[in-house]
Amino acid sequence: MTKKETALDERLWEKIARALDSLEYGSIHIVVHDSQVVQIERTEKYRLPAGKAKDEVKQARTGR
């Protein structure tokens, strides 16, 4: 492995680590073309407590 490949790998790992940073629920999708990573996608989901979400919907509908 050459120095250039090593540096690229370190930068790639840093980008993946940043994508994972503070992700509670979701996914990281890494796209590879011709053995090279070309894209990193982060999809984040927010989970709402089931009881609280139902209460908020009920309040919005009834105004109470």
Side-chain angles (χ1 to χ4, degrees):
M1 186 177 292
T2 67
K3 262 189 171 181
K4 185 176 181 180
E5 290 173 336
T6 303
L8 179 63
D9 289 339
E10 289 172 13
R11 285 189 301 183
L12 178 61
W13 283 115
E14 287 174 18
K15 290 181 185 231
I16 292 170
R18 271 189 263 133
L20 285 168
D21 190 35
S22 75
L23 182 66
E24 286 188 57
Y25 297 98
S27 61
I28 304 296
H29 186 97
I30 300 171
V31 180
V32 177
H33 288 244
D34 293 328
S35 300
Q36 297 292 316
V37 174
V38 295
Q39 187 170 319
I40 300 171
E41 300 174 13
R42 173 181 162 148
T43 303
E44 190 167 359
K45 299 181 183 222
Y46 296 97
R47 303 278 174 136
L48 303 173
K52 187 174 182 180
K54 287 180 186 176
D55 291 343
E56 289 173 0
V57 170
K58 186 177 179 181
Q59 287 175 352
R61 288 184 183 162
T62 62
R64 297 185 239 160

